[in-house]
Amino acid sequence: MLDAPIASQTKVYDAIIIGAGIAGIYQLYRLRELGLSVRVFETGSDVGGTWYWNRYPGARFDSESYTYGYSFSEELLQDWSWSEHFSAQPETLRYLNHVADRFDLRRDIQCNSRVSSATFDDATNQWEIALDTGETHRARFLITAIGPLSADTMPRLAGVADFKGQSFHTYRWPKEPVDFTGKRVAVIGTGATGVQVIQTIAPLVGHLTVFQRTPNWCTPLNNRPISDEEQRQIKGSYPELFALLRTTPGCYVHNVDPRGTFEVTEAEREAFWEQRYLEPGFGIWQANFHDMLTDPKANALFSDFVARKIRQRVTDPAVAEMLIPKCHGFGTRRVPQETRYYEAFNQPNVNLVDIKATPLERITETGIKTSDASYEFDMIIYATGFDAITGAFSRIEVRGAGGQRLKDKWADGPKTFLGLQSAGFPNMLTIVGPHNASTRCNIPRCIEQNVDWVTDLLRHTRDNGITRFETTPEAEADWTRHIDELAEGMLYTQIDSWATGINSNVEGKNVRRILQYQGGAPAYREKCDAVAAAGYAGMVLE
Ligand code: NA7
C-alpha cells in the first residue's frame, strides 16, 4: 500500500500519527495489526504523553487504576498489577513504557520530533508533515493523537523571565528531583493540578503561598493501596468490569443515581451524600442524584453540603470562606480530587492569597507583586493549566484541501463530524478531538473507542481501494448543531473553565464554546457505530 516517495529524503507511510501518548501508542498497535506502515512523531524524548510531561509532585489518577489501563490484551491485564486504587504518575509512566516494549512499538516511534506543520496535498491525496528540524514525511492518512491538555499556558504577566529563583510550569516539570527543603514556594493556580501539588509539597517546604483566583469544589480521593485479595478480585473480573464501564456516561465505575435530589427525605439525602464523601473516586460527582448537574436548586443544595465539609476541615473561618467557590456550583467545573488538601491550609507554614481581591501585577526578580503586597520566593510553580482541547491543534500549522488553515476554520469554535473529522481536511482523523466524548470520559476507555473506529475505517479504505475520504459540510453542520443542542440545560456549559474554552492566558479565549460531546459515552459510541454501519454515512469515500 506504500506510495512511491515524492523526493528521495521524504518518506511516505500509510499513516502518520502525531503523539505517542495513550492514544498514539494504541493507534500504532492497531494499524500495525492491519499491516499498514506507520510512523509516530512525538515531541517528548520518550513515550507517555500526559504521563511523560506531568511529573509534578502529587500527579496521579482520579480514575480507578484498573479502569484506566488498556483493555485490548488479556495477557497485559493479567501481567500488570497496579499498586494503588489511584496510582501515581511514575507508575503510569512505567506502565506505558511497559506497553511500548511489550508490543515492540518503539521501532515506529520517533521521539524528540515536534510536528510543526501538516499540509494536505490535493494532487496525491497525501499529507506532508514537517518537523521543527525541517525533516518532512508523507502519508496517506494523518491521525492526531495530541491530547486535550497538552498545550500548557503561562500567565500573561510582566516579569516572568526576570525571576532569579527556580520556576516551573507543572506540565514542564524537570526529570531531576526538586528539593523543597526550607524553600519559600509560591503556587499559582488551584485547579486539579494545583490541588495535587499543594497538598503534596505543603509538608515539605519551608513556606508555601498559594495564589488562588477561583476556588474549586474539591472532594476526597480516598485512595489506598490495592491488597493482594483485591488484586485477585480485579484480575478475575476484568471482562465484567469493562462491560460495566461501557454502560456508564463517563466510562467510570460510577453511574448516576436514578433518584432526584428532592425525591428523598432530607435525612436520606444527607446520609447518601455522607456515604459518597467517604467513598473513593469520582462517585460523588458521577454517581450523585441524577438532577445534580442540571437543576440549579439541586446543585445549590449539594454545593452547600460540600461547603459545610470545607468549613469543618479548615480551622480559620476566613480561610475556609476563601476556599469555598461562590461563582459556580459543585461539579460544573472539573472536580479536583484531594487528599488532605483543605488541612494543608491549617498548617502554620501555608497561606492563601485571594488574587481576585488583590490581583497579580507582575513577577519580580525575587518573587511576586500583587496589588497590595510584594512576596519573596525561592521557587514559583505555575499550575496555570492549558489551552484546552483545541490548543494543541493551534500549535501545529494544519492546512487542508486548497490550503485552508484549521486555525481559521475553527476560529469561532470547532466544526467537526463525530469529533473525529473536519470538512475540508480529507484523510485526517482527530482522536480525542473537540466535539468528541473522550474529554468527558475516563479517557483511555474513550480513546480505545476512537482508535477502534478509526482502525475500522482504515481497514474499509484498504479493502475497497479508497484513497481519499472526507466528511461532508452537511454532516459536519448536523453534528456541530447536535453538540450545541446536547449542551442546552447543562449547568456545566454555563460556567467559565477550560472545558468551555476559557483561558485568560490565550488571546481570544474569552468566549464560552461547546467543545465536548455531552450525551455520554454510550450514546456517542452508538452514533459512531451507526455511521460505520451505514457505509460511513456523512462521508464521501473515493
Ligand atoms: P486548570 O484546571 O485550568 O487550572 C488552572 C488554574 O490556574 C486555575 O486555578 C486558574 O484560575 C489558574 N490560573 C490560570 N491562569 C492564571 C493567571 N494568569 N493568574 C492567576 N491564576 C491563573 O488546569 P489544571 O492543570 O489544574 O487542570 C487541567 C486538567 O488536567 C484537569 O482538569 C485534569 O483533568 C487534568 P481560574 O480558575 O482560571 O480563575
Side-chain angles (χ1 to χ4, degrees):
M1 192 168 167
L2 277 182
D3 295 293
I6 297 299
S8 56
Q9 71 276 42
T10 304
K11 298 217 174 92
V12 185
Y13 300 94
D14 292 326
I16 284 175
I17 299 169
I18 310 179
I22 297 168
I25 288 174
Y26 181 49
Q27 185 68 78
L28 168 61
Y29 173 83
R30 281 288 183 225
L31 293 189
R32 215 193 250 174
E33 269 187 340
L34 274 192
L36 303 194
S37 66
V38 187
R39 192 76 170 162
V40 182
F41 296 97
E42 164 58 49
T43 306
S45 66
D46 209 339
V47 300
T50 289
W51 302 102
Y52 168 89
W53 294 101
N54 285 289
R55 295 161 188 265
Y56 62 82
R60 68 169 63 245
F61 287 152
D62 290 301
S63 305
E64 286 72 8
S65 309
Y66 36 90
T67 70
Y68 193 96
Y70 293 113
S71 72
F72 67 86
S73 160
E74 186 57 27
E75 292 77 24
L76 172 63
L77 288 166
Q78 292 306 322
D79 285 355
W80 187 264
S81 300
W82 296 101
S83 66
E84 294 175 271
H85 283 266
F86 302 89
S87 286
Q89 175 270 340
E91 187 168 320
T92 312
L93 187 57
R94 273 201 304 281
Y95 170 76
L96 292 169
N97 275 276
H98 170 80
V99 173
D101 291 331
R102 182 180 188 114
F103 298 102
D104 186 25
L105 299 174
R106 290 186 197 277
R107 62 187 157 88
D108 292 323
I109 301 174
Q110 183 172 325
C111 291
N112 300 307
S113 297
R114 201 189 84 83
V115 174
S116 50
S117 70
T119 312
F120 185 71
D121 177 356
D122 274 304
T124 58
N125 289 333
Q126 289 177 348
W127 281 91
E128 179 165 300
I129 63 109
L131 305 180
D132 271 353
T133 55
E135 201 176 309
T136 58
H137 298 266
R138 283 188 163 237
R140 171 75 67 221
F141 305 113
L142 177 67
I143 301 169
T144 62
I146 53 184
L149 296 162
S150 56
D152 52 314
T153 51
M154 288 285 284
R156 291 189 287 181
L157 277 177
V160 167
D162 299 345
F163 183 61
K164 296 268 191 271
Q166 292 173 288
S167 62
F168 314 103
H169 189 286
T170 47
Y171 188 73
R172 306 263 161 196
W173 201 264
K175 289 180 183 161
E176 304 70 41
V178 173
D179 183 15
F180 296 100
T181 320
K183 297 219 169 114
R184 298 163 303 169
V185 180
V187 174
I188 304 177
T190 51
T193 301
V195 167
Q196 289 187 332
V197 172
I198 291 161
Q199 67 196 14
T200 307
I201 66 169
L204 309 177
V205 299
H207 194 278
L208 176 63
T209 307
V210 175
F211 291 90
Q212 172 188 267
R213 190 165 63 186
T214 313
N216 283 302
W217 296 102
C218 312
T219 48
L221 180 64
N222 295 315
N223 187 25
R224 60 188 163 78
I226 294 175
S227 68
D228 292 347
E229 179 49 32
E230 285 172 331
Q231 197 71 258
R232 270 192 296 279
Q233 279 173 10
I234 291 163
K235 291 193 181 180
S237 58
Y238 269 125
E240 296 78 18
L241 176 66
F242 287 115
L244 167 73
L245 300 177
R246 285 175 67 82
T247 64
T248 61
C251 301
Y252 296 100
V253 283
H254 317 286
N255 204 354
V256 165
D257 194 290
R259 296 170 299 169
T261 301
F262 301 101
E263 287 167 24
V264 298
T265 66
E266 190 181 342
E268 282 170 329
R269 206 159 46 221
E270 284 286 315
F272 173 67
W273 286 340
E274 284 291 345
Q275 182 198 338
R276 284 281 174 269
Y277 202 78
L278 295 174
E279 284 170 356
F282 272 146
I284 199 157
W285 187 25
Q286 302 283 320
N288 214 308
F289 293 121
H290 76 81
D291 51 358
M292 199 269 289
L293 294 173
T294 49
D295 175 358
K297 285 205 182 81
N299 186 268
L301 205 58
F302 183 64
S303 301
D304 279 349
F305 172 85
V306 183
R308 272 186 273 138
K309 290 289 182 196
I310 298 171
R311 289 189 190 104
Q312 283 162 15
R313 291 175 59 186
V314 178
T315 45
D316 181 337
V319 175
E321 287 317 304
M322 281 164 72
L323 288 165
I324 295 172
K326 305 290 186 305
C327 301
H328 67 279
F330 180 88
T332 59
R333 296 173 119 206
R334 209 292 203 173
V335 175
Q337 299 259 279
E338 50 84 26
T339 304
R340 299 189 60 72
Y341 172 66
Y342 290 111
E343 285 73 12
F345 294 93
N346 299 336
Q347 288 182 211
N349 68 331
V350 178
N351 70 308
L352 180 64
V353 178
D354 176 357
I355 52 171
K356 268 232 169 91
T358 58
L360 298 177
E361 284 191 344
R362 60 169 299 131
I363 308 296
T364 65
E365 284 191 11
T366 54
I368 294 177
K369 185 174 177 330
T370 68
S371 62
D372 82 338
S374 288
Y375 300 82
E376 306 252 301
F377 295 113
D378 303 307
M379 188 190 297
I380 300 176
I381 298 173
Y382 296 95
T384 45
F386 301 91
D387 184 357
I389 302 179
T390 54
F393 289 94
S394 314
R395 292 186 186 185
I396 302 172
E397 178 71 12
V398 182
R399 285 181 183 270
Q404 185 186 14
R405 293 168 84 215
L406 189 64
K407 234 177 274 190
D408 295 339
K409 182 177 172 190
W410 285 0
D412 297 327
K415 295 170 191 70
T416 80
F417 179 53
L418 302 176
L420 283 164
Q421 293 171 68
S422 197
F425 295 80
N427 294 1
M428 180 172 106
L429 295 147
T430 55
I431 313 278
V432 193
H435 292 178
N436 191 298
S438 53
T439 52
R440 293 220 65 190
C441 183
N442 183 8
I443 203 161
R445 301 281 67 77
C446 283
I447 283 174
E448 285 186 341
Q449 181 275 339
N450 274 203
V451 166
D452 290 345
W453 192 88
V454 164
T455 306
D456 286 345
L457 170 62
L458 296 199
R459 182 184 294 109
H460 180 81
T461 63
R462 183 198 62 186
D463 294 349
N464 295 282
I466 289 157
T467 55
R468 176 173 171 137
F469 62 79
E470 188 176 357
T471 186
T472 65
E474 295 74 28
E476 177 180 86
D478 285 349
W479 183 257
T480 304
R481 201 175 313 113
H482 178 55
I483 291 288
D484 290 342
E485 283 164 7
L486 285 173
E488 279 167 26
M490 302 284 297
L491 302 177
Y492 197 80
T493 55
Q494 298 162 23
I495 298 293
D496 289 355
S497 76
W498 65 257
T500 50
I502 300 293
N503 187 322
S504 67
N505 308 316
V506 183
E507 191 69 47
K509 292 271 170 133
N510 53 359
V511 179
R512 268 184 232 142
R513 306 206 188 283
I514 310 302
L515 299 178
Q516 301 170 310
Y517 180 85
Q518 308 284 339
Y524 176 76
R525 197 181 310 121
E526 265 176 38
K527 298 263 179 208
C528 290
D529 290 349
V531 167
Y536 296 97
M539 294 169 59
V540 177
L541 294 85
E542 296 167 2

